[in-house]
PDB file of all heavy atoms in Angstrom:
ATOM      1  N   GLN A 496     151.392  80.032  34.242  1.00  0.00           N
ATOM      2  CA  GLN A 496     150.140  79.938  33.440  1.00  0.00           C
ATOM      3  C   GLN A 496     149.226  81.101  33.646  1.00  0.00           C
ATOM      4  O   GLN A 496     148.670  81.623  32.685  1.00  0.00           O
ATOM      5  CB  GLN A 496     149.430  78.609  33.786  1.00  0.00           C
ATOM      6  CG  GLN A 496     150.116  77.344  33.419  1.00  0.00           C
ATOM      7  CD  GLN A 496     149.280  76.118  33.745  1.00  0.00           C
ATOM      8  OE1 GLN A 496     148.125  75.970  33.316  1.00  0.00           O
ATOM      9  NE2 GLN A 496     149.783  75.268  34.694  1.00  0.00           N
ATOM     10  N   ILE A 497     149.065  81.505  34.873  1.00  0.00           N
ATOM     11  CA  ILE A 497     148.171  82.635  35.161  1.00  0.00           C
ATOM     12  C   ILE A 497     148.671  83.911  34.538  1.00  0.00           C
ATOM     13  O   ILE A 497     147.898  84.643  33.913  1.00  0.00           O
ATOM     14  CB  ILE A 497     148.087  82.811  36.709  1.00  0.00           C
ATOM     15  CG1 ILE A 497     147.401  81.641  37.358  1.00  0.00           C
ATOM     16  CG2 ILE A 497     147.319  84.120  37.074  1.00  0.00           C
ATOM     17  CD1 ILE A 497     147.401  81.687  38.923  1.00  0.00           C
ATOM     18  N   GLN A 498     149.990  84.123  34.561  1.00  0.00           N
ATOM     19  CA  GLN A 498     150.525  85.345  33.995  1.00  0.00           C
ATOM     20  C   GLN A 498     150.394  85.361  32.456  1.00  0.00           C
ATOM     21  O   GLN A 498     150.204  86.426  31.852  1.00  0.00           O
ATOM     22  CB  GLN A 498     152.006  85.528  34.409  1.00  0.00           C
ATOM     23  CG  GLN A 498     152.090  85.856  35.891  1.00  0.00           C
ATOM     24  CD  GLN A 498     153.534  85.778  36.416  1.00  0.00           C
ATOM     25  OE1 GLN A 498     154.259  86.796  36.457  1.00  0.00           O
ATOM     26  NE2 GLN A 498     153.953  84.584  36.813  1.00  0.00           N
ATOM     27  N   LYS A 499     150.454  84.189  31.823  1.00  0.00           N
ATOM     28  CA  LYS A 499     150.229  84.114  30.406  1.00  0.00           C
ATOM     29  C   LYS A 499     148.799  84.477  30.042  1.00  0.00           C
ATOM     30  O   LYS A 499     148.569  85.155  29.037  1.00  0.00           O
ATOM     31  CB  LYS A 499     150.590  82.748  29.857  1.00  0.00           C
ATOM     32  CG  LYS A 499     152.093  82.450  29.842  1.00  0.00           C
ATOM     33  CD  LYS A 499     152.385  81.014  29.367  1.00  0.00           C
ATOM     34  CE  LYS A 499     153.873  80.794  29.313  1.00  0.00           C
ATOM     35  NZ  LYS A 499     154.183  79.369  28.952  1.00  0.00           N
ATOM     36  N   ILE A 500     147.854  84.045  30.858  1.00  0.00           N
ATOM     37  CA  ILE A 500     146.444  84.387  30.623  1.00  0.00           C
ATOM     38  C   ILE A 500     146.177  85.893  30.793  1.00  0.00           C
ATOM     39  O   ILE A 500     145.476  86.467  30.016  1.00  0.00           O
ATOM     40  CB  ILE A 500     145.553  83.551  31.564  1.00  0.00           C
ATOM     41  CG1 ILE A 500     145.606  82.115  31.241  1.00  0.00           C
ATOM     42  CG2 ILE A 500     144.146  84.074  31.592  1.00  0.00           C
ATOM     43  CD1 ILE A 500     144.960  81.172  32.244  1.00  0.00           C
ATOM     44  N   VAL A 501     146.853  86.467  31.812  1.00  0.00           N
ATOM     45  CA  VAL A 501     146.711  87.892  32.001  1.00  0.00           C
ATOM     46  C   VAL A 501     147.244  88.639  30.860  1.00  0.00           C
ATOM     47  O   VAL A 501     146.648  89.634  30.352  1.00  0.00           O
ATOM     48  CB  VAL A 501     147.441  88.341  33.305  1.00  0.00           C
ATOM     49  CG1 VAL A 501     147.460  89.838  33.466  1.00  0.00           C
ATOM     50  CG2 VAL A 501     146.701  87.724  34.529  1.00  0.00           C
ATOM     51  N   ALA A 502     148.395  88.278  30.264  1.00  0.00           N
ATOM     52  CA  ALA A 502     148.993  88.951  29.110  1.00  0.00           C
ATOM     53  C   ALA A 502     148.117  88.777  27.880  1.00  0.00           C
ATOM     54  O   ALA A 502     148.012  89.713  27.065  1.00  0.00           O
ATOM     55  CB  ALA A 502     150.370  88.380  28.876  1.00  0.00           C
ATOM     56  N   LYS A 503     147.434  87.722  27.774  1.00  0.00           N
ATOM     57  CA  LYS A 503     146.534  87.494  26.633  1.00  0.00           C
ATOM     58  C   LYS A 503     145.263  88.322  26.730  1.00  0.00           C
ATOM     59  O   LYS A 503     144.831  88.933  25.754  1.00  0.00           O
ATOM     60  CB  LYS A 503     146.232  85.993  26.472  1.00  0.00           C
ATOM     61  CG  LYS A 503     145.284  85.685  25.330  1.00  0.00           C
ATOM     62  CD  LYS A 503     144.911  84.223  25.316  1.00  0.00           C
ATOM     63  CE  LYS A 503     143.915  83.918  24.222  1.00  0.00           C
ATOM     64  NZ  LYS A 503     143.503  82.428  24.206  1.00  0.00           N
ATOM     65  N   ASP A 504     144.627  88.296  27.926  1.00  0.00           N
ATOM     66  CA  ASP A 504     143.298  88.938  28.080  1.00  0.00           C
ATOM     67  C   ASP A 504     143.446  90.420  28.490  1.00  0.00           C
ATOM     68  O   ASP A 504     142.489  91.181  28.319  1.00  0.00           O
ATOM     69  CB  ASP A 504     142.468  88.164  29.133  1.00  0.00           C
ATOM     70  CG  ASP A 504     142.046  86.812  28.627  1.00  0.00           C
ATOM     71  OD1 ASP A 504     142.269  86.518  27.425  1.00  0.00           O
ATOM     72  OD2 ASP A 504     141.529  86.035  29.433  1.00  0.00           O
ATOM     73  N   VAL A 505     144.561  90.803  29.128  1.00  0.00           N
ATOM     74  CA  VAL A 505     144.842  92.128  29.593  1.00  0.00           C
ATOM     75  C   VAL A 505     143.688  92.792  30.414  1.00  0.00           C
ATOM     76  O   VAL A 505     143.215  93.851  30.062  1.00  0.00           O
ATOM     77  CB  VAL A 505     145.231  93.075  28.449  1.00  0.00           C
ATOM     78  CG1 VAL A 505     146.022  94.314  28.982  1.00  0.00           C
ATOM     79  CG2 VAL A 505     146.038  92.329  27.381  1.00  0.00           C
ATOM     80  N   PRO A 506     143.276  92.131  31.508  1.00  0.00           N
ATOM     81  CA  PRO A 506     142.361  92.832  32.403  1.00  0.00           C
ATOM     82  C   PRO A 506     143.074  93.893  33.245  1.00  0.00           C
ATOM     83  O   PRO A 506     142.481  94.792  33.739  1.00  0.00           O
ATOM     84  CB  PRO A 506     141.840  91.698  33.306  1.00  0.00           C
ATOM     85  CG  PRO A 506     142.902  90.682  33.298  1.00  0.00           C
ATOM     86  CD  PRO A 506     143.550  90.750  31.934  1.00  0.00           C
ATOM     87  N   VAL A 507     144.370  93.690  33.391  1.00  0.00           N
ATOM     88  CA  VAL A 507     145.253  94.629  34.000  1.00  0.00           C
ATOM     89  C   VAL A 507     146.577  94.707  33.186  1.00  0.00           C
ATOM     90  O   VAL A 507     146.909  93.748  32.483  1.00  0.00           O
ATOM     91  CB  VAL A 507     145.618  94.294  35.449  1.00  0.00           C
ATOM     92  CG1 VAL A 507     144.424  94.435  36.368  1.00  0.00           C
ATOM     93  CG2 VAL A 507     146.161  92.876  35.568  1.00  0.00           C
ATOM     94  N   LEU A 508     147.201  95.873  33.243  1.00  0.00           N
ATOM     95  CA  LEU A 508     148.455  96.058  32.456  1.00  0.00           C
ATOM     96  C   LEU A 508     149.542  96.548  33.374  1.00  0.00           C
ATOM     97  O   LEU A 508     149.565  97.703  33.730  1.00  0.00           O
ATOM     98  CB  LEU A 508     148.155  97.095  31.331  1.00  0.00           C
ATOM     99  CG  LEU A 508     149.315  97.488  30.391  1.00  0.00           C
ATOM    100  CD1 LEU A 508     149.957  96.292  29.758  1.00  0.00           C
ATOM    101  CD2 LEU A 508     148.814  98.481  29.372  1.00  0.00           C
ATOM    102  N   PRO A 509     150.449  95.675  33.783  1.00  0.00           N
ATOM    103  CA  PRO A 509     151.534  96.086  34.722  1.00  0.00           C
ATOM    104  C   PRO A 509     152.419  97.148  34.049  1.00  0.00           C
ATOM    105  O   PRO A 509     152.697  97.058  32.844  1.00  0.00           O
ATOM    106  CB  PRO A 509     152.279  94.815  34.963  1.00  0.00           C
ATOM    107  CG  PRO A 509     151.451  93.676  34.476  1.00  0.00           C
ATOM    108  CD  PRO A 509     150.540  94.279  33.404  1.00  0.00           C
ATOM    109  N   LEU A 510     152.909  98.081  34.839  1.00  0.00           N
ATOM    110  CA  LEU A 510     153.736  99.175  34.326  1.00  0.00           C
ATOM    111  C   LEU A 510     155.155  99.188  34.908  1.00  0.00           C
ATOM    112  O   LEU A 510     156.110  99.189  34.141  1.00  0.00           O
ATOM    113  CB  LEU A 510     153.087 100.533  34.580  1.00  0.00           C
ATOM    114  CG  LEU A 510     151.728 100.781  33.864  1.00  0.00           C
ATOM    115  CD1 LEU A 510     151.145 102.110  34.323  1.00  0.00           C
ATOM    116  CD2 LEU A 510     151.912 100.779  32.333  1.00  0.00           C
TER     117      LEU A 510
END
Side-chain angles (χ1 to χ4, degrees):
Q496 292 182 60
I497 293 172
Q498 290 169 94
K499 287 178 179 177
I500 292 170
V501 171
K503 178 184 176 183
D504 291 351
V505 201
V507 291
L508 177 56
L510 296 173

